[in-house]
């Protein structure tokens, strides 16, 4: 392809865990002397070479492992992944802050980043002086800044204070000025990393707008790293998904996001003994949930099928005679989809442990993976929450696969944008006339 | 395969061992100017005396030396007026130590910005050397004014032709400070001990150079060893330029130049080697 602007070829980067060296020159020299004599370094715990090759060794961690992809002119590429997946490392390598351990990246054009807004601002200098300084750090020539100076000042909205040292600026003015410089950098390739995490709603909008302009109107390439899936979906044309330093998906941005979201529920759990760390703290624990079982097949569930759960509870000599049970269902992003709350029902007396079965009807959940949290309590009026025990989300997980249990008709294609719940009463009857 | 030539940047694991990348440095020339401006304007902002501090420091050091070494210790100055003798050494030594210390702090002092954006790393030490030069030139002007004042009153010393070579001496000082500084800063990415060492090492080093005493006081049998200190011939020549106290021999100066060049290249070599990955270790 002639219009490829970034070509990443088999990039790997590993970091050594723990101390970088022995800390003092003396020990390093000792190690070096031992190496010369062909002996093992007395200060090293593992032989360095063997562990570098072998990922299982604990002293090295791969931040990136054999990552390859291309980016074409004018493309907006979203880079997503959980924390520690290697996104930042990838950007660091792309922006040449650090270098890869192996592999090679070829780039056409200047890379500018919106990732470090305000880098190199000197507090004693005035706004105007800092524009020049910051612009130069970001790789602009003086005449380029001269040309854009008015535009930058205008965009920042701090023209009144432009000859005041930036140490007297409010933090908002500071960020606006810094962003104005970065936004007028005009690189061929723009790297944006989590800028949306800082600044107010207005500023975020401005960032997104600028990125949209840059890519759509000016046809420039943008690499966008964010945890904000809505923004990624809105802006990007293509996505790559990183997991533990490996590239696991490269393609359409929606598929990529789906792939990312799926990662948070990796396995389906239909039975669990509740360990102490699964109980939320701060509850009286008069009655505790000890064991939870999903009676359905967690991988083969359908929208019209009631969810059945069996709980084993333990009564720690509670004075209460009755209690209610509730189940909350969350999606992969921990968004609460449905809450079920039962009536208060009598607690079997004179029994230390007892069993209950809950049936959740008409959940109407669509094709997705879900997790549940469970709790038991009484008289839940308003904020006066009286729970005996709350078991945190993720204790049981399941996947809705079919629309109809009997026919096992699958959702052929259910876009996640269409929502998590389909109303059971809303049937669409289509007839060919 | 013709498009292969079109890549503007190729990122590989390691820099080639000795690649100065002057072209890239040239692209960042505006950045060097910006840094120099920043250094100079920000140093004395919000001070009452402002740029006067450029003068105060050498004047007071000279007065100190005058009292301690001139009047109490009574160390001779080879017939040169004491004030001029001390000030001559102080300003050039100050320039050298400033180049050396600021360059040796390059990585540690700028790690925050280096971790965030890429620009030619050599711009930082170079701009340090240049902004120190501005200070030096101002102090040199002060020295020359005092020199002229002395000349009017008592003319028992004369300028030599070497005065025309003063820019070269200064350049060599800068290069020497830069070279050693680059080596030290590269090592500080791993061994922080050096940041502590450098501060007082420079102070000690000053006493191994003919600033508070003339070279003639160094015993003859030690002289050949003494001039191995690469700073000595430069300081001596600088002194000779204004007072005709005698140039160091060609061999002595040759060794100093050779060491300067060697240290510069060694410095660039290790700096180049370290700069790519220092972010991971600093």
């Amino acid at each position: 392809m002639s219009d490829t602007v970034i070509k990443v070829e088999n990039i790997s980067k590993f970091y050594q865990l723990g101390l970088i060296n022995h800390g003092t020159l003396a020990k390093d020299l000792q190690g070096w002397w031992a190496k010369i004599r062909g002996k093992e370094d007395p200060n090293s715990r593992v032989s360095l070479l063997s562990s570098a090759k072998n990922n299982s060794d604990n002293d090295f961690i791969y931040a990136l492992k054999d990552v390859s992809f291309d980016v074409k002119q004018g493309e907006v590429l979203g880079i997503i992944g959980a924390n520690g997946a290697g996104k930042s490392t990838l950007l660091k390598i792309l922006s040449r802050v650090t270098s890869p351990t192996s592999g090679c990246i070829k780039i056409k054009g200047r890379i500018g980043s919106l990732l470090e807004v305000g880098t190199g601002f000197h507090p004693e200098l005035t706004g105007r002086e800092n524009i020049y300084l910051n612009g130069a750090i970001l790789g602009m020539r003086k005449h380029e800044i001269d040309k854009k100076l008015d535009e930058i000042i205008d965009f920042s909205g701090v023209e009144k204070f432009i000859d005041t040292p930036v140490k007297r600026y409010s933090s908002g003015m500071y960020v606006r000025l810094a962003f104005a410089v970065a936004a007028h950098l005009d690189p061929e390739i723009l790297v944006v990393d989590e800028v949306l995490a800082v600044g107010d709603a207005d500023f975020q909008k401005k960032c997104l707008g600028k990125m949209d302009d840059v890519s759509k109107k000016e046809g420039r390439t943008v690499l966008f790293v964010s945890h904000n899936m809505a923004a990624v979906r809105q802006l990007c044309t293509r996505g790559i998904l990183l997991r533990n330093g490996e590239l696991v998906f490269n393609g359409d941005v929606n598929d990529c996001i789906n792939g990312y979201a799926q990662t948070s529920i990796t396995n389906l759990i239909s039975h669990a003994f509740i360990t102490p760390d699964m109980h939320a703290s701060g509850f009286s624990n008069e009655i505790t949930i000890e064991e939870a079982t999903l009676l359905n097949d967690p991988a083969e569930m359908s929208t019209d099928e009631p969810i059945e759960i069996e709980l084993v509870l333990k009564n720690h000599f509670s004075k209460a005679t009755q209690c209610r049970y509730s189940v909350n269902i969350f999606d992969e992003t921990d968004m609460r989809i449905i809450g079920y709350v039962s009536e208060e029902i009598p607690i079997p007396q004179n029994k230390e442990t007892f069993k209950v079965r809950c049936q959740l009807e008409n959940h109407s959940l669509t094709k997705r993976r879900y997790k549940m949290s469970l709790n038991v309590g009484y008289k839940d009026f308003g904020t006066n929450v009286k729970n005996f025990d709350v078991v945190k989300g993720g204790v049981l997980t399941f996947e809705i696969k079919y629309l109809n249990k009997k026919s096992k008709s699958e959702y052929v294609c259910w876009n996640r944008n269409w929502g998590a719940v389909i109303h059971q009463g809303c049937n669409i009857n289509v007839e060919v006339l | 395969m013709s498009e292969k030539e079109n890549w503007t940047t190729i990122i590989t694991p390691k820099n080639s061992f000795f690649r100065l990348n002057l072209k890239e440095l040239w692209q960042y020339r505006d950045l060097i100017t910006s840094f120099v401006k920043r250094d100079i304007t920000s140093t004395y902002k919000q001070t009452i005396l402002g740029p006067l501090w450029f003068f105060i420091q050498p004047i007071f050091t000279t007065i100190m030396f005058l009292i301690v070494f001139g009047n109490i210790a009574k160390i001779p100055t080879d017939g040169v007026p004491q004030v001029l003798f001390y000030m001559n050494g102080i300003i050039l030594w100050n320039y050298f130590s400033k180049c050396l210390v600021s360059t040796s702090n390059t990585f540690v002092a700028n790690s925050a910005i280096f971790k965030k954006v890429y620009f030619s790393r050599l711009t930082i030490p170079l701009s340090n050397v240049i902004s120190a030069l501005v200070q030096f030139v101002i102090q040199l002007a002060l020295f020359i004014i005092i020199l002229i004042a002395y000349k009017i009153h008592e003319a028992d010393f004369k300028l030599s032709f070497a005065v025309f070579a003063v820019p070269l001496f200064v350049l060599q000082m800068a290069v020497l400070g830069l070279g050693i500084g680059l080596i030290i800063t590269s090592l500080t990415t791993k061994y922080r001990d050096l940041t502590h060492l450098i501060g007082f090492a420079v102070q000690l080093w000053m006493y191994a150079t003919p600033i508070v005493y003339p070279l003639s006081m160094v015993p003859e049998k030690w002289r050949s060893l003494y001039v191995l200190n690469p700073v000595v011939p430069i300081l001596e020549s600088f002194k000779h330029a204004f007072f005709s106290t005698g140039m160091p021999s060609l061999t002595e100066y040759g060794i100093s130049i050779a060491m300067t060049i060697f240290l510069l290249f060694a410095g660039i070599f290790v700096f180049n080697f370290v700069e790519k990955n220092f972010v991971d270790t600093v």
Side-chain angles (χ1 to χ4, degrees):
Chain A
M1 292 281 174
S2 58
D3 56 352
T4 302
V5 287
I6 302 177
K7 200 176 177 71
V8 175
E9 292 168 349
N10 306 91
I11 284 292
S12 293
K13 171 93 186 170
F14 64 75
Y15 285 105
Q16 195 178 350
L17 292 182
L19 283 174
I20 294 296
N21 57 356
H22 309 311
T24 65
L25 186 58
K27 280 190 177 171
D28 260 17
L29 286 175
Q30 199 184 344
W32 171 78
W33 176 237
K35 216 162 92 184
I36 283 186
R37 289 178 303 164
K39 288 186 182 168
E40 208 173 309
D41 182 347
N43 297 306
S44 83
R45 274 160 291 157
V46 286
S47 137
L48 292 184
L49 268 177
S50 67
S51 55
K53 283 176 194 147
N54 169 4
N55 190 23
S56 67
D57 198 293
N58 287 329
D59 274 15
F60 282 87
I61 185 164
Y62 272 94
L64 286 175
K65 202 172 172 187
D66 217 14
V67 171
S68 306
F69 61 92
D70 288 356
V71 187
K72 295 196 185 68
Q73 175 71 43
E75 208 168 22
V76 183
L77 181 74
I79 301 172
I80 57 181
N83 284 333
K87 304 184 299 288
S88 299
T89 308
L90 182 62
L91 288 196
K92 267 189 186 170
I93 293 173
L94 276 169
S95 51
R96 300 174 68 194
V97 167
T98 185
S99 65
T101 309
S102 66
C104 162
I105 300 178
K106 292 166 182 165
I107 298 165
K108 237 181 261 176
R110 186 162 70 175
I111 290 196
S113 67
L114 284 190
L115 61 157
E116 300 307 344
V117 165
T119 307
F121 262 36
H122 194 289
E124 295 288 350
L125 299 184
T126 67
R128 190 188 304 277
E129 287 166 328
N130 266 313
I131 292 177
Y132 280 98
L133 179 63
N134 192 227
I137 288 174
L138 295 174
M140 277 162 109
R141 299 292 320 281
K142 189 171 180 297
H143 58 84
E144 288 179 76
I145 306 172
D146 285 335
K147 251 196 317 205
K148 292 199 170 144
L149 186 65
D150 293 333
E151 214 179 308
I152 293 173
I153 296 174
D154 207 41
F155 190 89
S156 68
V158 295
E159 55 272 64
K160 254 192 201 165
F161 314 98
I162 202 66
D163 292 310
T164 308
V166 296
K167 65 177 174 181
R168 309 222 191 285
Y169 279 28
S170 76
S171 52
M173 284 155 68
Y174 191 92
V175 172
R176 286 211 303 275
L177 182 66
F179 181 71
V181 181
H184 290 82
L185 177 62
D186 285 352
E188 285 84 2
I189 299 160
L190 187 69
V191 174
V192 185
D193 184 10
E194 305 286 10
V195 274
L196 302 167
V198 297
D200 55 17
D202 217 36
F203 176 73
Q204 296 188 4
K205 229 189 239 169
K206 217 169 188 177
C207 291
L208 286 173
K210 182 74 191 172
M211 277 177 55
D212 230 23
D213 281 1
V214 162
S215 61
K216 297 212 172 96
K217 287 194 199 140
E218 299 164 35
R220 270 185 293 216
T221 314
V222 178
L223 301 185
F224 183 49
V225 173
S226 181
H227 288 295
N228 181 344
M229 291 304 136
V232 171
R233 201 192 302 273
Q234 184 193 335
L235 287 169
C236 301
T237 47
R238 200 158 64 88
I240 62 174
L241 173 62
L242 294 173
R243 192 180 298 155
N244 297 329
E246 286 177 80
L247 183 81
V248 290
F249 186 84
N250 178 358
D252 177 71
V253 70
N254 280 315
D255 295 341
C256 190
I257 292 169
N258 292 350
Y260 169 60
Q262 211 74 62
T263 59
S264 66
I265 298 176
T266 43
N267 45 346
L268 301 172
I269 309 161
S270 62
H271 178 256
F273 292 100
I274 314 299
T275 55
D277 59 303
M278 288 155 85
H279 295 283
S281 59
F283 299 103
S284 67
N285 287 345
E286 287 169 53
I287 295 172
T288 52
I289 301 170
E290 297 294 308
E291 211 180 313
T293 315
L294 181 68
L295 300 175
N296 310 62
D297 180 348
E300 295 277 311
M301 288 164 68
S302 59
T303 302
D304 62 348
E305 167 190 12
I307 300 169
E308 286 187 276
I309 306 164
E310 208 169 83
L311 303 176
V312 176
L313 296 109
K314 195 169 179 183
N315 190 342
H316 302 265
F317 313 109
S318 171
K319 282 179 225 145
T321 53
Q322 51 183 16
C323 66
R324 54 117 184 105
Y325 303 87
S326 51
V327 178
N328 291 305
I329 298 179
F330 301 84
D331 73 354
E332 303 97 331
T333 60
D334 276 336
M335 187 158 84
R336 191 183 298 225
I337 308 291
I338 305 174
Y340 282 97
V341 185
S342 77
E343 296 282 316
E344 287 197 346
I345 55 172
I347 303 167
Q349 294 303 308
N350 307 321
K351 261 188 174 177
E352 208 195 334
T353 57
F354 60 100
K355 263 190 186 179
V356 295
R357 180 176 295 191
C358 312
Q359 194 174 38
L360 315 179
E361 288 176 327
N362 295 330
H363 55 74
S364 309
L365 296 169
T366 55
K367 182 180 161 69
R368 223 183 260 204
R369 288 188 173 195
Y370 300 92
K371 52 190 176 189
M372 285 184 218
S373 78
L374 311 163
N375 61 57
V376 49
Y378 68 100
K379 273 189 189 167
D380 197 345
F381 293 127
T383 54
N384 190 13
V385 179
K386 290 281 199 293
N387 281 320
F388 296 132
D389 186 21
V390 173
V391 177
K392 289 185 246 179
V395 56
L396 296 177
T397 55
F398 61 93
E399 182 174 359
I400 301 289
K401 210 167 174 184
Y402 306 112
L403 184 61
N404 189 305
K405 184 173 172 61
K406 284 194 194 107
S407 65
K408 292 218 161 176
S409 63
E410 284 204 45
Y411 284 101
V412 181
C413 158
W414 183 264
N415 192 313
R416 298 177 60 84
N417 294 343
W418 301 345
V421 177
I422 182 169
H423 196 283
Q424 289 288 284
C426 297
N427 287 322
I428 176 165
N429 298 313
V430 181
E431 201 179 336
V432 180
L433 302 172
Chain B
M1 282 286 116
S2 63
E3 62 143 327
K4 241 186 176 165
E5 321 301 318
N6 292 336
W7 302 111
T8 46
T9 315
I10 295 181
I11 300 169
T12 49
K14 282 209 170 71
N15 274 344
S16 54
F17 256 165
F18 195 81
R19 192 177 55 111
L20 232 180
N21 216 341
L22 283 174
K23 202 179 134 204
E24 189 188 63
L25 195 59
W26 180 243
Q27 281 168 355
Y28 279 102
R29 60 192 181 280
D30 285 344
L31 182 59
I32 299 181
T33 346
S34 284
F35 278 140
V36 172
K37 266 192 203 150
R38 175 195 70 179
D39 289 346
I40 293 165
T41 52
S42 67
T43 313
Y44 295 113
K45 270 210 174 171
Q46 217 177 4
T47 59
I48 296 170
L49 297 176
L52 274 183
W53 283 107
F54 284 130
F55 300 114
I56 291 167
Q57 196 258 348
I59 290 174
F60 276 81
T61 319
T62 306
I63 293 171
M64 269 290 290
F65 284 8
L66 204 63
I67 296 167
V68 177
F69 301 109
N71 287 7
I72 298 174
K74 294 202 169 28
I75 297 170
T77 55
D78 274 0
V80 178
Q82 282 178 333
V83 171
L84 292 176
F85 181 89
Y86 293 136
M87 191 176 264
N88 174 286
I90 287 165
I91 59 171
L92 190 61
W93 175 259
N94 270 354
Y95 179 53
F96 170 72
S97 74
K98 201 146 189 234
C99 289
L100 173 56
V101 172
S102 61
T103 305
S104 63
N105 279 328
T106 303
F107 280 128
V108 174
N110 296 286
S111 63
I113 182 169
F114 281 177
K115 274 180 188 172
K116 291 176 176 174
V117 271
Y118 177 81
F119 50 86
S120 183
R121 305 309 196 201
L122 272 176
T123 52
I124 296 264
L126 279 180
S127 63
N128 284 336
V129 167
I130 294 169
S131 42
L133 183 68
V134 174
Q135 185 185 342
F136 170 75
V137 169
I138 293 171
Q139 294 179 349
L140 185 67
L142 173 72
F143 169 74
I144 289 169
I145 290 167
I146 297 173
L147 185 82
I148 291 167
Y150 264 88
K151 200 90 179 150
I152 294 166
H153 288 288
E154 40 180 322
D156 53 350
F157 58 89
K158 57 179 193 297
L159 295 178
S160 76
F161 282 111
V163 91
F164 297 107
V166 161
L168 291 180
F169 304 147
V170 177
L171 177 72
Q172 197 191 339
M173 271 304 202
V175 170
L176 192 59
L178 186 71
I180 300 170
L182 287 178
I183 295 172
I184 290 169
T185 193
S186 306
L187 294 174
T188 52
T189 59
K190 258 189 131 185
Y191 310 107
R192 288 298 176 79
D193 321 39
L194 287 164
T195 44
H196 303 291
L197 178 75
I198 191 72
F200 74 89
V202 169
Q203 273 179 358
L204 293 185
W205 193 353
M206 192 189 80
Y207 293 102
T209 54
I211 290 172
V212 297
Y213 52 85
L215 182 60
S216 58
M217 273 192 77
V218 177
E220 203 52 42
K221 59 176 176 177
W222 294 114
R223 186 181 155 113
S224 52
L225 196 67
Y226 183 77
V227 292
L228 280 182
N229 177 351
V231 188
V232 172
I234 312 173
L235 280 166
E236 274 308 296
S237 312
F238 189 66
K239 204 166 280 169
H240 171 74
F242 295 99
F243 312 122
S244 301
T245 46
M247 275 289 278
S249 77
L250 217 56
T251 345
E252 286 168 354
Y253 210 101
I255 291 170
S256 168
I257 288 179
M259 281 172 86
T260 305
I261 292 171
F262 170 76
L263 287 168
L264 175 71
F265 280 82
I268 292 172
F269 174 79
V270 287
F271 189 84
N272 227 337
F273 186 69
V274 165
E275 70 165 4
K276 268 211 148 180
N277 280 313
F278 97 98
V279 170
D280 305 335
T281 55
V282 77

